Amino acid sequence: MQANGAGGGQQQQQPQPPQGPELGCLGAQNGEASAGTTAGDQLAHANGLLPSANSGGGSPGGLSVNNGVPAAGGPGPAAAELGGGGGGGGSALKKKKRLSQSDEDVIRLIGQHLHGLGLNQTVDLLMQESGCRLEHPSATKFRNHVMEGEWDKAENDLNELKALVHSPHAIVRMKFLLLQQKYLEYLEDGKVLEALQVLRCELTPLKYNTERIHVLSGYLMCSHAEDLRAKAEWEGKGTASRSKLLDKLQTYLPPSVMLPPRRLQNLLRQAVELQRDRCLYHNTKLDSNLDSVSLLIDHVCSRKQFPCYTQQILTEHCNEVWFCKFSNDGTKLATGSKDTTVIIWQVDPDTHQLKLLKTLEGHAYGVSYIAWSPDDNYLVACGPDDCSELWLWNVQTGELRTKMSQSHEDSLTSVAWNPDGKRFVTGGQRGQFYQCDLDGNLLDSWEGVRVQCLWCLSDGKTVLASDTHQRIRGYNFEDLTDRNIVQEDHPIMSFTISKNGRLALLNVATQGVHLWDLQDRVLVRKYQGVTQGFYTIHSCFGGHNEDFIASGSEDHKVYIWHKRSELPIAELTGHTRTVNCVSWNPQIPSMMASASDDGTVRIWGPAPFVDNQDIEEECSSMDS
């Protein structure tokens, strides 16, 4: 094996050090010697196996590796000893420091990455100098035979790997994957008889995954190669499909034998994702591509990039503003007020400034709730407890399509659209619960349900309703069944549902904001800070991936939490009376609106004139 000392011109006998494990990782567990090279040879590409020095009697052209650096002259007899070496010209004997397991792992990961970049000579030199091995020699052979499509040799390699694989069934699965690729390549080449032979005499006797074998046999009917590739969802014979095959095969081999594919990139990607998950203010689209981030610094988002700063104050309402809601496409904002009007605001896509688009008048009791239709063409407005009427407006024309009232005794205070956009449900605390069409015609009704808030699920059948019994129940208007989903100990003043339908955000009287998992029917988190009495306050999900939660409060503030953290990450001040409602723009994650009893609507966004210096200063302060 290669000596660590440089070979001198004349051989000089040196005392040999004890052969112990502390003398480096050149032992059999980490590396193996390969055959010697001749005088003019290049270092053999061994994928991490150690090439030995020239065995040709110290020919001047021979290469001796001294920590990866070629030295002139052939090695002395000591070159064959593990960890030691002959010294020339009085050079001192060096002991090679033994690498830790983590160091070896890192070297192998780097080697795999460099190999993927095609820097094979660099990999060889790294493995020689470190004394490590990128992968087991049998695995290297197996890899090469798979990539070259030498299936018989690859099958023989499996026999060598059998002793290194933990599960006896793994070899059968690996053989099945190999033969499947072999079968498909024969079919693509038009060698139907050879493919049939593989199917009958090699794949079927494995008695593994017979269902898949039936599917494979169906490919015999494919008339041409394109048809085969389409039906099999296969890239065709060549590097791409064989690389995918190798990725699957590697999952059955221990990492000590062959590293999982692209292991270093996967670890780095996981680290980046973890840093993003832990970043309280991360509010941009997640990109799993490592090229979109710098690996040289930790990921930190500045609070200045978050919607914590007042961008605009809308003062057109002349009384308390009870509700606000962005349209589903994020281009408009609707605000409802005690002043009997709904104002539609247009969002400028470039400047993110809002301007008054339409004023919808005539809501005698004021507007306490607004719901956009799924296509944003219509808007339904409801009033407070005393209001028995409901208004359905055409947003495009500003015309009233329907003014609905079943009875003067009704109280219609909440509304929710069916996902089909052709129906909606409405109700109130006096026991009304109706399903209606766009003309206000009654389609169905549910008697005796005192409704506080409503939401239609994406299945188009189930309506969630919070009632005066401090619960949320699911009502199915098709089969007329209902079931309990959420039970609280205090009145549920309002609730909203996440886009995926999994989470419910509740504003609970005297308790604040609660997050429930509707699937598991458990209370996930209680958010701290907000002041909630018996006023109706509407909270919302928001930001990219709905990672954030915002709520108004009776202490005149807007509170923002990260979904996973009970403590607020921002408290927004500016309003001078109770903040009744907040709405996060579903298409512009950096924009949020809040409506207050002070008669104003505030539009929140990032800090103005954010530059790199500000962000760096913010990062420094957060680090400290």
Side-chain angles (χ1 to χ4, degrees):
M1 192 167 281
Q2 195 63 271
N4 280 336
Q10 53 181 325
Q11 298 174 3
Q12 182 176 349
Q13 189 68 34
Q14 296 284 352
Q16 296 300 314
Q19 303 298 310
E22 73 280 357
L23 294 181
C25 58
L26 295 179
Q29 62 179 7
N30 294 322
E32 294 182 4
S34 67
T37 56
T38 56
D41 284 350
Q42 299 289 330
L43 287 173
H45 172 40
N47 240 352
L49 302 183
L50 295 171
S52 69
N54 184 349
S55 57
S59 165
L63 291 177
S64 174
V65 176
N66 173 22
N67 281 338
V69 181
E81 298 294 335
L82 174 65
S91 63
L93 175 70
K94 288 185 178 179
K95 287 186 179 180
K96 193 170 182 72
K97 180 184 176 184
R98 181 174 178 80
L99 297 176
S100 67
Q101 184 60 51
S102 61
D103 286 337
E104 290 185 27
D105 291 347
V106 170
I107 288 171
R108 291 183 67 203
L109 291 173
I110 294 171
Q112 184 194 44
H113 186 68
L114 295 175
H115 179 71
L117 297 175
L119 304 176
N120 295 325
Q121 291 184 356
T122 306
V123 176
D124 290 340
L125 197 58
L126 174 64
M127 295 304 154
Q128 292 162 22
E129 189 168 358
S130 65
C132 297
R133 185 171 65 189
L134 184 58
E135 57 189 17
H136 194 281
S138 299
T140 303
K141 273 200 305 178
F142 181 60
R143 175 194 300 280
N144 293 336
H145 289 150
V146 168
M147 292 306 295
E148 291 161 11
E150 299 185 17
W151 307 117
D152 293 338
K153 291 181 180 178
E155 279 188 65
N156 291 333
D157 296 335
L158 281 181
N159 294 326
E160 294 182 29
L161 292 169
K162 191 179 292 185
L164 304 172
V165 176
H166 300 316
S167 167
H169 302 295
I171 293 294
V172 176
R173 295 186 185 118
M174 293 174 75
K175 190 170 183 179
F176 185 90
L177 290 170
L178 278 177
L179 292 173
Q180 177 180 255
Q181 179 80 10
K182 179 180 178 181
Y183 168 77
L184 290 172
E185 291 195 7
Y186 274 148
L187 276 184
E188 189 183 43
D189 289 341
K191 299 178 179 178
V192 179
L193 291 178
E194 288 89 338
L196 196 58
Q197 181 77 4
V198 171
L199 190 68
R200 287 179 176 172
C201 303
E202 297 184 67
L203 275 166
T204 305
L206 289 178
K207 296 179 180 177
Y208 173 75
N209 202 348
T210 52
E211 190 176 326
R212 177 64 180 165
I213 288 176
H214 289 314
V215 173
L216 291 173
S217 63
Y219 298 153
L220 287 164
M221 308 303 294
C222 292
S223 55
H224 47 76
E226 289 80 5
D227 189 27
L228 170 68
R229 288 193 290 268
K231 285 185 177 175
E233 295 179 356
W234 178 63
E235 293 81 0
K237 178 179 179 180
T239 305
S241 64
R242 290 173 184 173
S243 294
K244 275 193 175 180
L245 169 64
L246 202 55
D247 287 351
K248 292 179 183 175
L249 293 168
Q250 282 176 313
T251 61
Y252 297 102
L253 293 171
S256 57
V257 176
M258 181 184 282
L259 285 171
R262 295 168 293 282
R263 182 62 183 157
L264 183 60
Q265 292 100 312
N266 288 337
L267 286 173
L268 292 172
R269 191 174 293 111
Q270 290 169 18
V272 169
E273 288 172 359
L274 182 62
Q275 288 189 12
R276 281 174 175 165
D277 287 344
R278 290 180 175 176
C279 177
L280 289 177
Y281 297 107
H282 187 77
N283 191 28
T284 54
K285 189 175 180 181
L286 294 176
D287 189 349
S288 58
N289 186 359
L290 289 178
D291 292 336
S292 66
V293 298
S294 171
L295 299 177
L296 306 181
I297 56 172
D298 285 345
H299 173 89
V300 177
C301 290
S302 168
R303 187 180 188 274
K304 294 184 178 182
Q305 299 164 288
F306 204 67
C308 296
Y309 303 86
T310 301
Q311 304 278 15
Q312 198 174 356
I313 302 176
L314 309 179
T315 59
E316 276 73 2
H317 284 294
C318 54
N319 210 325
E320 297 172 358
V321 187
W322 288 339
F323 200 82
C324 63
K325 184 72 174 177
F326 280 104
S327 59
N328 298 295
D329 63 8
T331 63
K332 298 178 184 67
L333 174 72
T335 57
S337 170
K338 189 179 179 180
D339 68 6
T340 74
T341 68
V342 171
I343 297 180
I344 309 293
W345 308 84
Q346 183 74 45
V347 179
D348 187 292
D350 300 318
T351 65
H352 294 177
Q353 291 289 298
L354 276 69
K355 65 177 182 179
L356 195 151
L357 186 64
K358 290 183 177 72
T359 300
L360 312 177
E361 300 175 335
H363 309 85
Y365 294 88
V367 178
S368 61
Y369 197 86
I370 295 169
W372 291 87
S373 64
D375 60 7
D376 293 327
N377 288 331
Y378 294 99
L379 182 146
V380 177
C382 300
D385 289 345
D386 297 333
C387 183
S388 62
E389 297 174 324
L390 174 147
W391 291 262
L392 175 61
W393 295 91
N394 184 317
V395 177
Q396 307 300 323
T397 64
E399 296 174 352
L400 182 66
R401 170 159 178 171
T402 307
K403 183 179 179 182
M404 182 192 122
S405 179
Q406 293 295 320
S407 165
H408 292 297
E409 301 300 317
D410 284 355
S411 169
L412 302 181
T413 58
S414 185
V415 66
W417 284 87
N418 189 286
D420 64 11
K422 299 174 182 177
R423 297 168 286 163
F424 60 85
V425 290
T426 181
Q429 290 198 13
R430 296 180 185 171
Q432 293 76 40
F433 189 7
Y434 305 132
Q435 182 169 225
C436 309
D437 63 16
L438 296 185
D439 295 319
N441 300 316
L442 191 64
L443 302 176
D444 294 291
S445 66
W446 209 293
E447 297 297 328
V449 183
R450 297 181 181 273
V451 173
Q452 179 72 28
C453 192
L454 293 166
W455 194 277
C456 289
L457 294 184
S458 57
D459 62 5
K461 302 175 184 177
T462 309
V463 178
L464 300 184
S466 61
D467 57 30
T468 52
H469 297 286
Q470 305 165 4
R471 64 190 179 183
I472 295 177
R473 291 177 67 79
Y475 297 86
N476 190 315
F477 273 91
E478 290 191 0
D479 57 19
L480 299 180
T481 58
D482 60 325
R483 59 194 174 96
N484 212 38
I485 296 177
V486 169
Q487 181 68 59
E488 281 279 2
D489 297 326
H490 298 80
I492 299 170
M493 307 307 293
S494 69
F495 73 91
T496 185
I497 306 296
S498 61
K499 285 180 183 176
N500 61 13
R502 177 72 184 261
L503 300 174
L505 192 62
L506 283 59
N507 283 75
V508 184
T510 73
Q511 302 299 300
V513 182
H514 292 180
L515 184 69
W516 280 79
D517 186 315
L518 297 180
Q519 185 171 309
D520 297 336
R521 301 187 192 181
V522 294
L523 176 62
V524 177
R525 198 159 285 113
K526 296 180 179 181
Y527 296 101
Q528 300 177 22
V530 70
T531 303
Q532 168 88 57
F534 286 90
Y535 286 116
T536 299
I537 292 177
H538 299 273
S539 55
C540 69
F541 293 96
H544 261 302
N545 204 33
E546 292 192 326
D547 282 333
F548 302 98
I549 284 165
S551 178
S553 175
E554 292 180 22
D555 64 3
H556 315 165
K557 296 179 183 178
V558 174
Y559 286 83
I560 303 178
W561 300 267
H562 195 285
K563 196 162 58 179
R564 293 191 302 271
S565 176
E566 294 179 358
L567 297 175
I569 61 172
E571 298 177 19
L572 313 186
T573 58
H575 286 295
T576 56
R577 292 182 65 190
T578 296
V579 180
N580 299 307
C581 183
V582 290
S583 178
W584 212 303
N585 192 308
Q587 303 301 326
I588 306 173
S590 60
M591 176 183 285
M592 188 173 64
S594 60
S596 170
D597 280 348
D598 64 11
T600 68
V601 175
R602 283 183 176 250
I603 306 301
W604 306 88
F609 312 117
V610 173
D611 59 29
N612 292 332
Q613 175 119 12
D614 290 336
I615 295 172
E616 285 171 17
E617 288 173 5
E618 185 78 18
C619 292
S620 300
S621 65
M622 291 182 73
D623 290 340
S624 60

